[in-house]
Amino acid sequence: MRTCFLALILTVTSVAAAPSSVRECQHKVKETINPPRGWTKVKPAPADHTIELRIGLPQSNFALLEQDLYQVSDPFHERYGAHLSKEEVDALIAPQAESVDLVDEWLASHGIATEQLSRSSARDWIKIKVPVSLVEDMLKTEYHVWVHEESGEAMVRTTSYSLPEYLLDHVDVIQPTTMFARFKGQATSYWFAEGERPVVDLSQPYIPIPSAYNGEVNASCNGSITPTCLKELYNAVGYVPQAADKNHIACTGYLDQYADFEDFKLFNEALVPEAANSTFEVIYINGGENSQNLSDAGIEADLDTQYAFGLTYPTPRTFYTTGGSPPYIPDDHTPENSNEPYANWLEYIMNVENPPQTISTSYGDDEQTVPESYAKRVCAELAQLGARGVSLIFSSGDYGVGDGDPNPATQQCYTNNGLNETRFIPEFPATCPYVTAVGATWYLPERAYYISGGGFSNYFARPWWQNYAVPTYLDKLAPGTYAGLYNASGRAIPDVSAQGQWFKIFVGGEEIYIGGTSAAAPTTAAMVSLLNDARLANGLSPLGYLNPFIYAIGQYAPKALNDITVGNNPGCGTEGFNATVGWDPVTGYGTPNFYNLKDVALGNLTAIRELL
């Protein structure tokens, strides 16, 4: 296929070579999309606007990597817990040498030398900074400035791009091209706390809940969730971390969300007094910041760090602040288009030799705003982290089965396929099968919180570990329920859930209450981190990729999770799915019962049948 470059040279001296050049170098469309709903094309992108282009090369042995991932994560497999090293993962996903050479030659033909390229450690990603004019020539496309009507955010994007035919099998994806996701935080439902916080009857100081610590929870927790409430409710009272020299938990922050140290101090002084003088490490990625001006304190960042870190003290903790919020202003001459913060974080964490064993992320966007090719490539990156022993926790979204409209009654859930079909809208990255998606509950006793994101992916097929839970749920639905509104064969979310409302936090020096799956995700991550602590303290490996473990527990050891059977998640003009006995697409397999989970985790599931 290298004759394409030779033919280009021949055209300089031989007219006869021209037809061959045209034929052999002909471009073919690699990807095309319909513009996502809510975005308007404003004007052509400035020719000198700089784009940080990422080129993903095919990962040669991803099937083997996935096989290894499942084996080391399946609690019934002999390899369970034998996680891979970074070097072993890199070797499995390294692209073929031919792909590397052909892409390098193509870039060189456009005047881009190899020393201008930045490569991932496995050489499966190439990153370059190039002006719009050059990218348009390389990809035979046109970039425009697009504006999101609701938020006013702007991006430089195209809706289609092409590659020379000989490169089609040697390039998986190129972005930013067709990617319109805004990657928003999931603490957007904090306003639900206003006006609905229940008045607690303190004449009866405790609420009986059999699965809770000592079978009861303080009645105040029905209107004010604190770390003490969560430990009582999820049966974790009295557990003290023992492996602080080995274990590590982290939260991610984006979009100028700053985690304030003074707020963290106030939170601990009020609610976790043993941690009053503690702090956390901050790692700055791609120009990320963490302003300590109280007026800049971020609700999302403060919520995540206060609960993930407050529940796991004294486990070492890290807050990743990643730059790359949408900075482009249509009338500005912004020098770079760096509005893909999650890609920047992934690039960083993939190169960390020993990443934290548990990482919580409360961000995402409608799955359909992320091109399928890119979603699958990002998901493959997350699989690599799972194979290395990292538990990845994602909130499932705050809009039930619907889109970004917080009012279930007015949601208009249309597809982006140009047909404007009504369809449930799942959330990505929660729909990636290699992460654990967390829904939300509220009230005591617990019931499904109606904002809990749940449903079925349109990109990812149902994984094997859901082959019992999901069909069992679907068999309970009346025939024809929501026919055509969801993909019954897709990866289903959430996997588990946790409390997601009336969390007491400190923001900007003030005490407030907040909710959403943003509260449920760090709570779940904290419980997972404590399980990792118990395993590490007993000479075992961390849990790593959680889902095969969770679904084995759900099927065989139901007492290790608190089944939520009441509630639903309305949206798109429907009542949504309902919570029921066993797994459901509102609360997953339910909320954690820490000490029962610990018994199973330490017994490598040999304790399962004792809990039946």
Side-chain angles (χ1 to χ4, degrees), residues 585-602:
V586 191
T587 62
Y589 262 123
T591 60
N593 185 313
F594 175 74
Y595 273 106
N596 284 359
L597 282 169
K598 183 172 74 72
D599 288 344
V600 176
L602 292 181

Side-chain angles (χ1 to χ4, degrees), residues 159-228:
T159 56
S160 179
Y161 68 93
S162 303
L163 286 170
E165 281 196 80
Y166 74 91
L167 276 184
L168 290 176
D169 292 334
H170 297 283
V171 173
D172 269 351
V173 64
I174 298 179
Q175 291 293 347
T177 49
T178 56
M179 170 89 163
F180 283 81
R182 295 168 54 225
F183 203 62
K184 55 185 180 289
Q186 301 300 338
T188 49
S189 66
Y190 68 90
W191 48 268
F192 281 116
E194 298 300 326
E196 295 187 11
R197 190 167 158 230
V199 177
V200 178
D201 179 8
L202 296 179
S203 63
Q204 298 184 4
Y206 292 96
I207 300 171
I209 298 178
S211 60
Y213 181 77
N214 284 340
E216 60 186 19
V217 177
N218 193 294
S220 65
C221 299
N222 219 351
S224 176
I225 293 292
T226 66
T228 298

Side-chain angles (χ1 to χ4, degrees), residues 485-559:
L485 293 182
Y486 71 98
N487 174 26
S489 62
R491 185 278 202 260
I493 60 172
D495 303 302
V496 290
S497 52
Q499 280 283 312
Q501 188 53 292
W502 303 304
F503 275 53
K504 182 185 292 189
I505 66 171
F506 286 80
V507 179
E510 301 293 329
E511 178 185 298
I512 69 168
Y513 290 88
I514 193 171
T517 50
S518 271
T523 297
T524 299
M527 295 297 158
V528 171
S529 184
L530 293 178
L531 292 174
N532 280 334
D533 177 90
R535 284 181 59 88
L536 291 166
N538 283 273
L540 301 172
S541 62
L543 289 168
Y545 172 48
L546 292 169
N547 292 353
F549 177 79
I550 288 170
Y551 284 76
I553 289 173
Q555 184 173 354
Y556 297 112
K559 291 182 182 178

Side-chain angles (χ1 to χ4, degrees), residues 241-320:
Q242 309 161 64
D245 59 330
K246 302 173 185 174
N247 199 24
H248 193 170
I249 186 171
C251 296
T252 62
Y254 307 91
L255 310 178
D256 298 330
Q257 278 284 323
Y258 306 139
D260 191 86
F261 292 124
E262 181 62 24
D263 285 337
F264 188 69
K265 181 175 183 290
L266 291 172
F267 175 84
N268 286 327
E269 287 175 345
L271 303 176
V272 193
E274 65 272 24
N277 295 316
S278 68
T279 187
F280 52 89
E281 179 186 21
V282 178
I283 292 181
Y284 304 85
I285 301 168
N286 193 51
E289 299 177 356
N290 198 42
S291 168
Q292 292 305 295
N293 186 327
L294 278 177
S295 63
D296 293 334
I299 290 175
E300 181 76 69
D302 275 355
L303 169 63
D304 292 346
T305 53
Q306 287 170 24
Y307 276 85
F309 302 162
L311 285 165
T312 55
Y313 175 80
T315 302
R317 66 286 295 270
T318 295
F319 174 65
Y320 295 109

Side-chain angles (χ1 to χ4, degrees), residues 37 184 366-367 396-408 411-414 423-427 450-455 569-574 576:
R37 185 167 52 88
K184 55 185 180 289
D366 298 344
E367 185 183 66
S396 66
D398 280 357
Y399 304 108
V401 295
D403 63 3
D405 184 342
N407 186 343
Q411 285 176 346
Q412 297 180 358
C413 306
Y414 298 132
R423 199 169 178 88
F424 293 163
I425 309 293
E427 194 90 356
Y450 64 85
I451 59 98
S452 183
N569 58 350
C572 305
T574 76

Side-chain angles (χ1 to χ4, degrees), residues 17-78:
S20 174
S21 169
V22 172
R23 181 180 68 254
E24 293 180 1
C25 294
Q26 184 176 3
H27 275 60
K28 187 173 181 180
V29 173
K30 177 68 174 177
E31 184 170 40
T32 187
I33 67 162
N34 289 293
R37 185 167 52 88
W39 288 89
T40 299
K41 183 164 61 175
V42 176
K43 65 178 183 180
D48 60 350
H49 179 75
T50 302
I51 291 179
E52 190 170 74
L53 207 63
R54 285 181 167 86
I55 303 171
L57 279 57
Q59 297 170 333
S60 56
N61 288 304
F62 181 78
L64 291 178
L65 183 280
E66 185 181 50
Q67 175 181 293
D68 284 343
L69 169 69
Y70 283 141
Q71 289 179 355
V72 302
S73 307
D74 180 355
F76 296 114
H77 198 280
E78 62 183 8

